[in-house]
Amino acid sequence: MGTDSLALDSLGTPADTVQKEQPDGLKAVVTIVAQDSQVTDIRNNIIHLYKEAKIKYEGFELAADYIRINNNTNEIYASGVFDHNNKYVGRPVVIFPNETPKVVDSLRYNFKSEKGDTWGIFTEVEGGFIQANRVRKNQYNEMSLYHGMYSTCNLPEPHTHFGIQISKGIVTENQIISGPAYLVMEGVPLKFITIPFGFFPKPNKRSSGFLFPTFGEEFNRGFFMRDIGWYLAFNDYWDSEIRGTLYSKGSWETSLHTRYRVNYKYNGGFNIRYAETKSGVEGTPQYTTVPDFNVTWNHSQAQEANPGTTFSANVNFGTSTYARNTAAAGSLNVEEITRNSMNSSISYGRTFLDGKINFTSSLRHSQDMVAKTLSLDLPTFSLSVSSFNPFDSKDRVGEQKWYQRINVSYSLRGDNILNTKEAGLFSKETLSQFQHGFQHSIPVSLSLNVLKYFQFNSSVNYTEGWHFQTYRQRLENTPGGFEVLRDTVNGFRRSYNYSVSSGLSTKIYGMYPKIGKIQAMRHVITPSVNLNYRPDFSDPQYGFYRRFIDAKGEETLYSIFQGSRYGSPGAGRSMGIGFSIDNNLEAKILSKKDTTDGGVKKIPILQGLTFSGNYNFVADSFKLSNINFSGRTALFNQKINLNFNGTFDPYAFDHQAGRRVNRYMIKDGKLARLTNFGLSFDYSFNPEANKSRQEGLDSLDNQKANMTPEQQQQLARISSDPNAFVDFNIPWNLAGSFSFQYANPGTQKRITATLNIHGDFSLTPKWKVQFNSGYDFRQKEVSMTRFSIYRDLHCWDMSFGWVPFGRYKSYNVTIRAKASILQDLKLTKRNDNFGSF
């Protein structure tokens, strides 16, 4: 510097502050900081700042390794510097009022005119990112850019794999207006895909607009244009999507998807989908049109919105063939396509008198998609009173006396139900078959400690049903012979039943000696026994049962309430002993990996192994009931959870007569017959993978309030498809499940077994292979198998999916932007053999 310069080493000194005169006479404070040095050129009125320099002026902030302030021209110039390795470092970071930070190569800004030029800018613009060689900003908060790129990548080149190269453009508050622009992929300019000018939306709020379709081909329905539509942004509380799909062979689909949300009150959405699928050759008898529909609705209420009151909905209703005929609306979602049941529930609840009385009401729907049957509860309600001790005193001092421990509660239930076939749901005859009634339940119980080690439990249960339909059987002579008919009699009838039970239970602890690494084993046995009594409600004095002469002339007994919602009071007197025994076995094993608790690790060996049954003293035959058992355990360091259950029949079976006989199996040298057995387990050889997936879904779920509709749809897909979530930080994962069922009532054995497996592994840190498949051992066929290959492209992703065989045989290749604003900017090559056999 010249002799008129003053050099000051400001390292370790506080920031300098000066007063800057404003046109209106007010003065604003300018804060200046330099980590290395500050040099003032007094003659030219210029200040030079070096190394981590910072300036703050009103809402304007600037940080760079070199800043020059010219007070004569009211101009600031900032840039980075070249270090000893000739690397450009310390680039300027600038923050304009009410804007996000911008990283640039260098800039010039005029305080007075509020205009500036920027070189090598990189900034975020409403979900997208702009980088440009030169940008000029004016006083109207508009930017003119020269040689820029608009992409979804949050890192500058060379990380940007895909983008739109803009020769010249203007960035305003709500849009980006460009001159000639073309697509750039992996640094290769595709100038044959050029537009002379363009308008890119940059909305500060949701706005209505066009939804771009996808294109492809299916084997049965032909070429398609899928999910073309329009997005409707009504206000900040709700929006909708109207979409449609057309196929070259005449099939079509349409859908209406609506979402709503009011913060701190409620949120939800519904989806109405309709499709007409044409199959066969037009003009032939085999040519058919199958209409299908599906309705879903979900609604949840915030707890703080209305304390003491709840309202929720989870509805999934439609034709059984919708997902199969439409390939789950083209998503090929395996879970939805293979679903064999649908369920819906709309619930309302409210508490009264500080929670002592609880009222709930619900509309329910259950649909068997294989048998095509429906069960509707329209509605069901219940009113329950919390249990209380009627003989206890509020002013009691000391422990309760035995009679003060008597506990009473009450519940009332009302039902209006219908069980019918799917095809005849809306017919007048079907709608007249609703069953309705009320049920009262009053349980009375007493629990006491007896002889220090035993728990005594006694109860009296009274249940009463109010029916508005009863049933009669009659024999009618028809041309085909005598036929048993069942008539419905409308009118009020009352049924009731009661039972008494008393029992004892205790716990027995056993310890086993040390064996090898097993330091200790503890066995907890919980036996219980109870005496129970129930009268014979088929006695004519109750009027609940009637006698009927069948076509063979034999007299049978039937209940007039048989088939009703609450069933029939029990026939035959019961007085017997109920018994059960529960077992839990745990071990403490030395572990070199787990050093907590002195290097001893506790593991469960067998949990909840329970046997239970009942012996009826007054029964004419078959006094001993079936023996039920169940249990669970975990293997291989808790990686496999195994559950099992079954039933033993202690009586012999006459195969010639095809029925049980009143003779114990033990007389034939066998303990009992195994009539049912079920075994299931699931496993994961890398629990961190499932943990990572769940954490990722939880994180996305917490951001739902700020998500766009496209992001919410993506989250829904991820939640339902285990292979849609790709975590490149997990090198491998292998998980699956197995289910086995055995049934042998005596006449015919039935065995079913299914295996499902899914997993993934990383070829490289950026390449991931995923797969899922399964096998049905009874059908002897492989279930739907899918392979997927993913390539992480940072701000984009590329995937290849392949279904090698079966009804949904297909493949697809997709390159897609991760940012929500360019969700529809995707290149897809797809070939579907949907419908081929």
Side-chain angles (χ1 to χ4, degrees), residues 559-627:
S559 170
I560 62 174
F561 304 108
Q562 185 176 355
S564 68
R565 178 63 170 175
Y566 312 121
S568 305
R573 188 164 63 110
S574 173
M575 183 173 65
I577 296 178
F579 54 88
S580 70
I581 182 168
D582 181 82
N583 298 267
N584 283 277
L585 188 62
E586 295 179 338
K588 289 184 177 181
I589 300 178
L590 287 176
S591 174
K592 295 180 180 180
K593 296 181 180 180
D594 191 351
T595 57
T596 59
D597 297 328
V600 176
K601 185 177 182 180
K602 182 188 293 186
I603 62 169
I605 297 178
L606 199 57
Q607 296 174 288
L609 176 59
T610 303
F611 296 87
S612 62
N614 185 76
Y615 187 87
N616 186 0
F617 291 103
V618 296
D620 295 334
S621 59
F622 301 105
K623 295 185 178 183
L624 181 61
S625 70
N626 288 342
I627 308 299

Side-chain angles (χ1 to χ4, degrees), residues 263-487:
N263 287 336
Y264 310 114
K265 288 189 177 181
Y266 55 82
N267 67 85
F270 60 86
N271 196 358
I272 302 174
R273 300 183 289 184
Y274 181 82
E276 286 195 0
T277 305
K278 298 181 185 297
S279 60
V281 180
E282 190 172 0
T284 65
Q286 290 76 28
Y287 184 73
T288 60
T289 299
V290 180
D292 287 295
F293 75 93
N294 179 257
V295 178
T296 60
W297 176 36
N298 63 85
H299 178 93
S300 60
Q301 175 184 292
Q303 293 183 354
E304 63 271 18
N306 195 353
T309 302
T310 60
F311 179 77
S312 64
N314 189 357
V315 174
N316 186 7
F317 175 79
T319 54
S320 300
T321 55
Y322 177 84
R324 183 176 177 84
N325 286 339
T326 65
S331 67
L332 290 175
N333 187 318
V334 179
E335 182 179 351
E336 192 170 346
I337 292 173
T338 58
R339 185 192 302 272
N340 55 26
S341 65
M342 288 190 291
N343 298 279
S344 304
S345 176
I346 303 174
S347 303
Y348 169 81
R350 187 172 181 181
T351 58
F352 303 89
L353 299 179
D354 296 328
K356 295 179 180 178
I357 298 179
N358 184 35
F359 173 82
T360 60
S361 180
S362 63
L363 305 174
R364 288 193 178 94
H365 144 259
S366 178
Q367 187 170 352
D368 188 326
M369 300 170 68
V370 178
K372 295 187 177 182
T373 58
L374 286 169
S375 177
L376 303 177
D377 289 5
L378 304 173
T380 294
F381 79 87
S382 65
L383 180 70
S384 60
V385 178
S386 299
S387 59
F388 60 96
N389 304 105
F391 303 109
D392 200 0
S393 173
K394 294 182 180 180
D395 302 327
R396 173 178 52 82
V397 177
E399 294 186 0
Q400 289 178 311
K401 294 181 171 55
W402 72 266
Y403 59 86
Q404 292 176 324
R405 293 177 177 267
I406 296 176
N407 188 280
V408 180
S409 62
Y410 168 79
S411 65
L412 167 65
R413 174 175 174 170
D415 293 280
N416 184 41
I417 65 169
L418 172 67
N419 296 305
T420 185
K421 289 287 186 180
E422 181 183 311
L425 174 61
F426 298 105
S427 67
K428 183 177 179 180
E429 180 182 356
T430 299
L431 296 176
S432 64
Q433 295 175 1
F434 270 98
Q435 300 177 350
H436 35 270
F438 300 92
Q439 185 182 60
H440 308 265
S441 179
I442 306 176
V444 181
S445 62
L446 173 64
S447 180
L448 300 171
N449 290 322
V450 178
L451 300 176
K452 190 177 180 180
Y453 299 107
F454 294 91
Q455 183 74 24
F456 173 78
N457 297 283
S458 184
S459 64
V460 177
N461 292 284
Y462 177 83
T463 303
E464 180 170 314
W466 293 354
H467 308 261
F468 293 91
Q469 301 94 13
T470 53
Y471 305 94
R472 305 290 188 272
Q473 290 184 6
R474 61 185 175 88
L475 200 63
E476 184 168 311
N477 192 2
T478 66
F482 286 100
E483 184 178 349
V484 178
L485 299 181
R486 189 168 182 261
D487 298 327

Side-chain angles (χ1 to χ4, degrees), residues 492-519:
F492 175 79
R493 285 296 299 264
R494 168 176 167 264
S495 69
Y496 61 88
N497 66 81
Y498 56 85
S499 61
V500 180
S501 176
S502 295
L504 289 173
S505 65
T506 187
K507 287 185 180 293
I508 302 172
Y509 297 89
M511 299 295 293
Y512 296 93
K514 179 179 177 181
I515 305 174
K517 291 185 178 181
I518 301 177
Q519 300 300 294

Side-chain angles (χ1 to χ4, degrees), residues 17 60 216 318 327 363 524 605 650 775 836:
T17 59
F60 173 84
L363 305 174
V524 181
I605 297 178
Y775 188 79
S836 64

